[in-house]
Amino acid sequence: MMEDTISAIATAPGEGGIGIIRLSGEKAVSIAYKIFRPHSAKSLQEYGNRVAVYGKVYDEHGHIIDEAICIVMNAPNSYTCEDVVEIQCHGGSVVMREILSLTYRMGARPAEPGEFTKRAFLNGRLDLSQAQAVMDIINAKTKASLDMAINHLSGYFSNKIREFRHDILAIIAHLEASIDFPEDDIEDLDFEDTREKVKLLQDKIQKMLASAHMGIILRDGLKTAIIGRPNAGKSSIMNLLLGQERAIVTDVPGTTRDSIEEYVNIGGIPLRLIDTAGIRATDDIVEKIGVDKAYSYAGEAELVLAVFDTNEELSAEDEEIIRLMDKCPGNIIVILNKIDLSGDKNTELLKERLKGCTAAKIRGIVPMSAKNGEGQEGLEELLKEIVYNGRTNIGESQAVCDARHEEILRRTVNLLEEALNTIDMGMSEDFIVIDLRSAWEKLGEITGETFDDDIVNQIFSNFCIGK
Ligand code: GDP
């Protein structure tokens, strides 16, 4: 058990029906004994482990702070593997802060962000990748993101990594045996066989890496910009996708001046939407800021929804959008909006015009009506195609969903490549072992079996307080 006893409000900031103050560490239980008295004649000690006890929280002067439920969870059967106490009180910010500060006065100290989970990791209850999954569960944007995080928490991904490490160790062991006992000529080391095993492992890791595109999108969302000239229907499309009125929708060109960022769930894929001001030449300063932003967003976005109004002739502003599309690095979906109105003035012309530009990045053209929702399914299908890349059963449980993990796996693949080169150059077993050992260590950074304090601290500092 860590020396310090930590304490924090574990529920979300703000007011709620219930708020939870959580303590972990050596003094957690004794602090609970001091500040909580059960309603019944029994003392908290008599209730024992993992029982919800109804009673009141008292300060050091015997004043009642609140009614509450107190649960004592003795080590090691708790979230942190330490003694943990949870006090469920009323969810007002004043009452929670009062109880929190009382626990400080009784000897606890404020928990740092993610410190409960960090303790769970340091005490061996979770590995590093599982600890990260805890945060992913909290932040999950869609059910698919949540499913992936739950699978990661249950250790499926970590086990796969451990399997890879185990495979590397087995190859190393074989090589070392032939180094240590050359005279025993354990069937004279077959370099071809070693090569094959390393290659097989490298392929497996490559396959896992291929899921990173999807996994990272499911976890972090696909950064999406909506571009189009004023009044093309950008805000309306965003509202349609959000399923609620959020952006200001109006007839006056250029009113969506500020950018709004919001997550939307399209067929399980979280899009991080950035609405942008209409793009047009203008002298208006505020408008200009919006326009410049539109350019920078479209340049950063992984997906651009380019909206055109099918009822208007292609204008100089539309031409500007088409030019901008040429500069977008991400995938582009063209939306032909307002198909509920009859006067299609430009679909054919637009399609013709688009043939000349960025064809490789234009993943599809979707006729749509932001007004009645027509075409939304087509958009959803197209998105799934882009994100899942034709794989319907994508095995989210094994998906790489973190840029750090992706980088580690990439480096592991390179280290295995070096091992292959070493074999091909006819070098001795010792050199192959050196390469393989580096790969083995690198992989351990995912689960935290080999880890650097700074990295671990950085990972947990992104957590919220109380988690
Ligand atoms: P923005 O400037 O590109 O954000 O465009 P808005 O979303 O503000 O839409 C401009 C106008 O077009 C508003 O009056 C909308 O109600 C209208 N509009 C947007 N989409 C459609 C559509 O699919 N059909 C019809 N009939 N009107 C639409």
Side-chain angles (χ1 to χ4, degrees):
M1 230 185 276
M2 311 285 142
E3 279 181 10
D4 291 356
T5 296
I6 52 173
S7 174
I9 296 171
T11 37
E15 287 170 11
I18 298 173
I20 298 177
I21 286 98
R22 175 156 65 174
L23 294 114
S24 177
E26 264 173 1
K27 286 192 236 155
V29 178
S30 63
I31 293 175
Y33 290 165
K34 279 186 224 159
I35 66 173
F36 184 86
R37 261 181 257 153
H39 186 66
S40 72
K42 279 207 278 185
S43 69
L44 188 56
Q45 283 96 316
E46 287 172 80
Y47 279 98
N49 196 17
R50 289 198 275 174
V51 180
V53 183
Y54 168 64
K56 291 194 176 76
V57 178
Y58 292 83
D59 71 11
E60 54 272 68
H61 310 295
H63 296 138
I64 296 171
I65 301 183
D66 194 13
E67 274 187 342
I69 301 268
C70 181
I71 304 169
V72 170
M73 287 162 269
N74 288 124
N77 298 315
S78 71
Y79 182 65
T80 56
C81 287
E82 303 175 337
D83 283 345
V84 167
V85 171
E86 283 183 13
I87 298 170
Q88 302 178 359
C89 59
H90 289 106
S93 48
V94 175
V95 66
M96 285 193 285
R97 264 188 276 126
E98 281 298 313
I99 298 176
L100 183 66
S101 103
L102 178 62
T103 63
Y104 296 161
R105 296 199 297 278
M106 294 294 163
R109 70 153 170 81
E112 287 162 18
E115 198 171 358
F116 290 93
T117 310
K118 185 177 174 182
R119 288 185 173 199
F121 163 65
L122 293 174
N123 291 325
R125 196 173 95 69
L126 298 171
D127 67 36
L128 198 52
S129 147
Q130 288 173 309
Q132 285 183 273
V134 170
M135 204 57 205
D136 295 345
I137 288 175
I138 296 172
N139 291 333
K141 307 286 183 303
T142 70
K143 179 70 169 57
S145 328
L146 177 63
D147 289 346
M148 184 172 71
I150 292 274
N151 274 318
H152 279 225
L153 180 64
S154 58
Y156 199 86
F157 177 75
S158 311
N159 287 342
K160 221 49 222 161
I161 299 294
R162 280 196 199 96
E163 252 175 52
F164 294 157
R165 293 188 91 213
H166 180 266
D167 288 353
I168 298 180
L169 269 193
I171 305 173
I172 291 177
H174 198 68
L175 287 167
E176 282 184 339
S178 85
I179 298 170
D180 294 341
F181 310 103
E183 67 283 2
D184 290 359
D185 65 358
I186 344 169
E187 84 244 9
D188 242 3
L189 187 76
D190 181 350
F191 282 102
E192 198 42 51
D193 179 56
T194 308
R195 191 181 199 292
E196 257 171 43
K197 283 182 183 147
V198 174
K199 185 81 190 101
L200 186 70
L201 183 65
Q202 195 191 34
D203 289 347
K204 281 192 206 162
I205 299 179
Q206 294 270 31
K207 211 166 145 206
M208 189 183 238
L209 260 176
S211 67
H213 169 70
M214 172 213 67
I216 292 174
I217 289 173
L218 282 187
R219 197 187 76 156
D220 299 337
L222 188 64
K223 197 170 180 189
T224 305
I226 304 181
I227 60 172
R229 64 168 177 71
N231 270 341
K234 299 177 297 299
S235 312
S236 308
I237 285 176
M238 180 158 142
N239 285 340
L240 175 77
L241 298 180
L242 285 169
Q244 56 192 325
E245 290 286 316
R246 268 294 162 81
I248 314 152
V249 184
T250 163
D251 270 330
V252 187
T255 38
T256 318
R257 289 185 161 172
D258 231 336
S259 58
I260 313 162
E261 217 176 81
E262 202 101 36
Y263 285 94
V264 338
N265 174 357
I266 310 234
I269 301 164
L271 299 192
R272 190 146 63 87
L273 281 186
I274 310 158
D275 191 12
T276 58
I279 294 176
R280 60 171 192 172
T282 173
D283 291 331
D284 180 327
I285 296 289
V286 182
E287 184 69 29
K288 262 230 176 315
I289 295 170
V291 173
D292 290 346
K293 267 193 181 170
Y295 272 86
S296 76
Y297 287 148
E300 279 171 36
E302 295 156 302
L303 174 73
V304 171
L305 302 179
V307 184
F308 295 89
D309 181 343
T310 47
N311 281 272
E312 299 279 337
E313 305 281 351
L314 277 191
S315 66
E317 292 163 325
D318 288 321
E319 292 291 343
E320 179 74 359
I321 297 292
I322 294 172
R323 269 194 294 281
L324 172 57
M325 282 159 63
D326 254 332
K327 295 183 198 129
C328 294
N331 289 303
I332 300 171
I333 294 178
V334 175
I335 294 179
L336 304 178
N337 192 31
K338 307 196 189 182
I339 53 164
D340 55 295
L341 301 175
S342 53
D344 181 357
K345 298 213 173 66
N346 62 17
T347 304
E348 285 316 309
L349 179 64
L350 187 62
K351 283 185 178 165
E352 202 48 45
R353 181 66 190 76
L354 291 176
K355 274 186 193 152
C357 89
T358 55
K361 283 178 288 175
I362 297 179
R363 301 293 297 260
I365 299 178
V366 184
M368 243 182 108
S369 164
K371 190 161 191 171
N372 63 22
E374 223 182 316
Q376 210 180 339
E377 279 170 19
L379 180 64
E380 191 174 312
E381 285 311 310
L382 203 51
L383 264 174
K384 283 188 182 164
E385 209 177 289
I386 293 173
V387 175
Y388 294 137
N389 222 350
R391 287 178 294 181
T392 43
N393 188 358
I394 30 84
E396 283 136 6
S397 52
Q398 284 183 39
V400 180
C401 66
D402 179 281
R404 189 182 78 90
H405 294 169
E406 187 186 15
E407 178 58 22
I408 292 172
L409 290 173
R410 226 178 269 297
R411 291 215 209 159
T412 307
V413 166
N414 291 342
L415 288 165
L416 292 177
E417 191 60 39
E418 281 175 28
L420 291 174
N421 289 337
T422 307
I423 296 174
D424 291 344
M425 285 189 293
M427 294 173 76
S428 76
E429 291 91 333
D430 307 75
F431 293 99
I432 311 171
V433 167
I434 291 172
D435 294 334
L436 290 176
R437 204 166 272 288
S438 310
W440 179 78
E441 275 176 16
K442 188 50 57 200
L443 272 183
E445 289 176 19
I446 292 183
T447 47
E449 277 151 303
T450 47
F451 71 88
D452 178 320
D453 277 345
D454 290 344
I455 291 177
V456 169
N457 288 338
Q458 196 209 330
I459 289 172
F460 287 103
S461 68
N462 292 326
F463 276 52
C464 39
I465 298 218
K467 192 60 233 173

